[in-house]
Amino acid sequence: MLGCSDLTVAYGDIVALHGVTLQVRAGETVALIGANGAGKTTLLQTISGLNKVRGGHISFDGSPLDSLSCERRVRLGIAHAPEGRRIFPGLTVEENLVLATSPWRPPGGRYGDEIAQVFELFPRLKERRRQLGWSLSGGEQQMLAIGRALMARPRLLLLDEPSLGLAPRLAEEVYERVGRIRRSGLTILVVEQNTVLALAVADRGYVLETGRVVLEGAAAELKRDPRVREAYLGR
Ligand code: ATP
């Protein structure tokens, strides 16, 4: 479904990705793990069109994405739940969800089905539908960020560190929902520093180090790999 081949991305003189090649097949959940600054966020932002590609290509369903705007990519079915829960703090939960679809929906359009699906997955958001974004807990904000991405009815969901800043129990709760999204058949590319959680939900994984893929394989194999165990699992 998604293919990145020999992808190079730079911020001025700083090369963040050096020839990254990876694939995500339809129906798969793929984890991209790596330490701070490895280039994980850069890769997701490049797939969703926020960064310019310096070298290499990205394809989606066999067609090149390189020249398409972010909005076109969303219309094709790629949705991005960014790191840091970039929700609108001054809007309610419901307004945040409705606004997520506004770029391609006519004003006054109906959003009932999408919102109902998000509320079914995250009942806590339903209880707090009239609560302002800033007053949500970290876990609830993360759920809202994922909910916003789901409002686009994507075929590929890009998740950037859904466990970031969450207490272990909440991080597990968010990942339990990621597991449900996976079982619904959605294709997911998840970026994570929490290797245990990411490999538990994923079919396959890639390890990124300073902008390069250094390891790839089935999630179960990566969990057993001594290099992953030593560098990312603390044993
Ligand atoms: P983290 O887990 O800490 O978010 P990451 O793996 O997501 O790390 P990136 O945020 O993609 O890593 O950063 C990769 C490299 O690119 C880092 O060296 C970072 O300093 C650099 N970088 C990221 N964004 C920018 C930017 N806007 N301008 C300049 N350099 C940047």
Side-chain angles (χ1 to χ4, degrees):
M1 179 181 256
L2 178 82
C4 298
S5 66
D6 209 14
L7 207 59
T8 296
V9 175
Y11 301 100
D13 294 338
I14 299 171
V15 181
L17 298 177
H18 301 262
V20 168
T21 295
L22 63 80
Q23 285 86 36
V24 181
R25 301 182 198 109
E28 265 190 332
T29 292
V30 172
L32 185 67
I33 58 180
N36 277 320
K40 307 182 297 298
T41 296
T42 298
L43 182 63
L44 285 200
Q45 289 180 343
T46 308
I47 295 166
S48 47
L50 294 163
N51 289 328
K52 262 194 161 162
V53 171
R54 185 170 286 187
H57 297 285
I58 309 177
S59 66
F60 186 63
D61 285 342
S63 302
L65 278 188
D66 308 300
S67 60
L68 302 186
S69 65
C70 294
E71 193 189 331
R72 290 284 301 282
R73 296 180 199 212
V74 177
R75 283 175 193 259
L76 284 177
I78 301 175
H80 186 170
E83 170 181 32
R85 309 165 207 118
R86 298 217 197 101
I87 57 165
F88 293 106
L91 298 182
T92 65
V93 165
E94 196 160 350
E95 287 164 345
N96 263 281
L97 292 172
V98 168
L99 209 63
T101 64
S102 61
W104 63 93
R105 287 287 186 86
R110 291 170 55 87
Y111 309 97
D113 291 353
E114 288 89 344
I115 290 192
Q117 273 187 356
V118 171
F119 284 164
E120 196 185 326
L121 187 65
F122 299 116
R124 217 183 300 179
L125 292 182
K126 186 174 184 183
E127 289 164 21
R128 289 162 174 73
R129 63 201 296 167
R130 312 224 183 286
Q131 199 170 315
L132 294 177
W134 65 265
S135 65
L136 299 173
S137 72
E140 290 159 1
Q141 289 185 28
Q142 190 60 57
M143 291 173 194
L144 183 54
I146 298 172
R148 281 175 51 92
L150 293 173
M151 288 295 288
R153 290 185 176 268
R155 291 188 296 127
L156 172 65
L157 179 63
L158 307 175
L159 293 176
D160 197 346
E161 302 223 24
S163 79
L164 189 76
L166 301 185
R169 194 183 49 79
L170 266 180
E172 279 167 25
E173 191 179 328
V174 168
Y175 263 85
E176 192 270 328
R177 302 308 151 94
V178 174
R180 280 197 216 180
I181 297 170
R182 170 183 186 250
R183 287 192 292 278
S184 77
L186 198 59
T187 309
I188 303 175
L189 176 60
V190 58
V191 152
E192 242 324 327
Q193 280 195 49
N194 189 326
T195 306
V196 174
L197 286 177
L199 290 181
V201 82
D203 301 294
R204 290 191 307 115
Y206 292 83
V207 180
L208 206 59
E209 277 178 12
T210 55
R212 291 184 173 84
V213 172
V214 294
L215 267 179
E216 64 178 279
E221 280 168 24
L222 288 179
K223 262 187 269 183
R224 285 194 302 264
D225 189 291
R227 291 164 289 181
V228 172
R229 291 172 74 87
E230 194 177 319
Y232 301 105
L233 296 172
R235 53 189 106 134

